[in-house]
Amino acid sequence: MANLPEKATHRQTRTFNQQLVLRAIYDRAEVSRAELARLTGLTRTSISALVAELIRDGLVEEIGRGKSTGGKAPIMLRLRPQSRHAIGLDLGSTMFSGALVDLRGGVVKSAQVELEGRDGAEAVEVVYGLIDTLIRRLGKESVLGVGIGAPGLVDSRAGIVRWAVNLDWSELPLGAMVAERFGMPVVVANDTQAAAVAESTFGTIPWPQNLIVVRVGRGIGAGIILGGQLYQGDGSGAGEIGHTIFAPLSLSDEDERCRCGRMGCLETIASMPAMVIAAHRRDPSISDEQALIDAFCRGDKQVRKVVIRAAEMLGEGIATMIAALNVNHVLIIGPATHLGPDYLEAVRRQALSSALPLLAKQTNIELGETRGDDVVIGASAMLMNRELGLSLAR
Ligand SMILES: [Zn+2]
């Protein structure tokens, strides 16, 4: 701090204090200036000046007088959730979807574009088109920026998609490209990490500060929340368990080669497409995820074998994370949640019997709600967090 010019230091302090106040207002339905001073430790004078700025920026409003605690009843303040929106994008495998998301995680408008096989530069054009569509719906004034959830390995500090095999993107500086084109701040994150942020920020269950969110769909990945913050690791790849080879010795002749080129990755056994392929081999009438889910829930013996093996392999993966992180809460999200309680039970059994018993005893593995907009909302939350300092996790 000592070498910084005094002006810069002053500006930083001011931004920090403003974010502190905004966060305190954000966390409460309504709050008075006196309470803000108490909550933040700032003086009444500073609070008055900072609140005046937030009101001028439209982020906060006065909503009349609250209850008196002796003297004159204080004027109450609250956040205006619709004063700003993030554009959140989910770059899925067959479709890109996006939405305008308000400061409380509410989806205001959404849009989708089918990819129809487009990849490389063409897929980037689809991203641009989707952002254009969403900006047109609301106007640029209230848009804070763009949060993008992308598949594959993403360096979210640099905004670079390092490797997304389905989109044929490698070392793509997507963040810089979108920022330059639209003149807005951009956050790019791995889609599963974004979904984990959505769960810990806006989920209906008040999750604790430490949480592992495992997403099982076309691929498998985990988002790790530690101390209320997304933990991304040194290369932003924390939680990329899908291409880990967990049990090379238990490979069967039927297992497919992974899209990463190797054999035995968790994804080749426990992802939804892997289960469909294995079930199809036993029963040709099963050719998509819905048929797999129906047959499993019906109790089809052959399909149960396939799904339970997948669940157990996933359980192994989760056990490894429990051992590494000793996080007590694990949430499974994505299409696999439709497989229901028997699937969950098999994952649990394997994870808890493979982990150290003392750690396993404290661990709680659950299925999340099946909602489709986790990635969009999570990517938006990451953008809001960066731009407004609303470290949104509870
Ligand atoms: Zn792989």
Side-chain angles (χ1 to χ4, degrees):
M1 283 303 259
N3 333 334
L4 283 169
E6 203 177 312
K7 251 190 183 160
T9 316
H10 180 70
R11 199 162 52 231
Q12 281 174 344
T13 309
R14 193 160 185 83
T15 306
F16 177 82
N17 286 344
Q18 193 169 45
Q19 292 188 345
L20 193 68
V21 172
L22 184 61
R23 174 66 210 253
I25 298 171
Y26 184 91
D27 282 346
R28 283 153 192 88
E30 51 184 71
V31 65
S32 69
R33 287 175 177 79
E35 284 172 281
L36 284 175
R38 194 167 43 74
L39 289 164
T40 60
L42 296 169
T43 63
R44 290 290 296 270
T45 319
S46 300
I47 291 290
S48 289
L50 292 165
V51 166
E53 268 177 41
L54 291 170
I55 290 176
R56 200 190 55 223
D57 291 347
L59 280 160
V60 168
E61 64 186 349
E62 294 185 332
I63 50 162
R65 294 197 180 271
K67 279 198 201 94
S68 164
T69 50
K72 197 174 171 195
I75 296 171
M76 303 306 283
L77 304 162
R78 77 170 168 209
L79 181 87
R80 293 181 64 226
Q82 307 253 332
S83 61
R84 300 286 191 283
H85 296 84
I87 291 178
L89 301 185
D90 175 5
L91 311 186
S93 54
T94 59
M95 186 174 75
F96 286 179
S97 48
L100 287 154
V101 178
D102 73 24
L103 297 179
R104 294 276 184 212
V107 169
V108 180
K109 304 245 191 258
S110 57
Q112 286 84 30
V113 183
E114 293 287 341
L115 266 186
E116 291 161 342
R118 283 173 287 188
D119 60 13
E122 282 187 330
V124 174
E125 287 299 324
V126 176
V127 171
Y128 292 160
L130 197 52
I131 296 170
D132 273 328
T133 304
L134 288 163
I135 289 177
R136 267 201 304 276
R137 298 251 170 105
L138 197 74
K140 210 170 174 177
E141 310 75 52
S142 85
V143 177
L144 267 177
V146 185
I148 303 175
L153 203 56
V154 180
D155 179 345
S156 68
R157 290 172 193 87
I160 293 171
V161 179
R162 301 204 50 213
W163 181 67
V165 65
N166 291 320
L167 294 170
D168 194 22
W169 287 350
S170 121
E171 303 301 333
L172 181 79
L174 186 64
M177 291 160 77
V178 173
E180 186 173 326
R181 184 176 170 115
F182 293 94
M184 292 181 178
V186 179
V187 170
V188 187
N190 167 270
D191 48 9
T192 304
Q193 292 182 353
V197 172
E199 280 296 337
S200 74
T201 306
F202 299 121
T204 48
I205 301 167
W207 289 106
Q209 296 276 298
N210 298 331
L211 174 69
I212 297 171
V213 178
V214 181
R215 191 156 170 258
V216 184
R218 186 183 162 78
I220 296 176
I224 300 165
I225 309 283
L226 296 179
Q229 301 290 331
L230 178 67
Y231 176 75
Q232 294 180 288
D234 288 336
S236 297
E240 274 294 313
I241 57 170
H243 297 280
T244 304
I245 299 163
F246 276 102
L249 297 179
S250 74
L251 279 182
S252 89
D253 299 341
E254 289 185 354
D255 289 326
E256 301 277 321
R257 185 167 290 280
C258 184
R259 52 205 170 106
C260 77
R262 300 182 306 165
M263 296 291 290
C265 290
L266 183 59
E267 274 191 23
T268 61
I269 296 157
S271 67
M272 291 300 279
M275 285 188 258
V276 171
I277 290 168
H280 181 74
R281 211 177 273 126
R282 288 168 172 78
D283 177 353
S285 76
I286 292 163
S287 54
D288 61 18
E289 288 181 11
Q290 195 52 54
L292 176 88
I293 291 162
D294 292 344
F296 179 71
C297 294
R298 235 190 0 254
D300 180 305
K301 273 213 175 89
Q302 290 297 322
V303 172
R304 282 191 82 83
K305 248 190 219 162
V306 168
V307 172
I308 297 300
R309 179 179 182 231
E312 288 172 352
M313 205 63 96
L314 181 68
E316 287 290 334
I318 291 174
T320 310
M321 288 196 290
I322 293 171
L325 298 166
N326 183 203
V327 167
N328 285 354
H329 296 273
V330 179
L331 183 68
I332 299 170
I333 62 168
T337 52
H338 293 287
L339 291 163
D342 288 2
Y343 171 76
L344 173 64
E345 205 35 58
V347 175
R348 247 185 211 154
R349 203 171 46 235
Q350 189 66 34
L352 302 187
S353 68
S354 294
L356 187 68
L358 216 57
L359 297 184
K361 222 164 48 186
Q362 311 158 344
T363 307
N364 172 24
I365 304 174
E366 299 291 342
L367 293 182
E369 285 173 76
T370 47
R371 44 188 275 186
D373 53 7
D374 261 347
V375 176
V376 163
I377 292 175
S380 301
M382 290 176 77
L383 187 275
M384 290 173 204
N385 188 8
R386 190 180 287 183
E387 290 309 301
L388 297 177
L390 300 174
S391 172
L392 299 173
R394 282 174 275 234

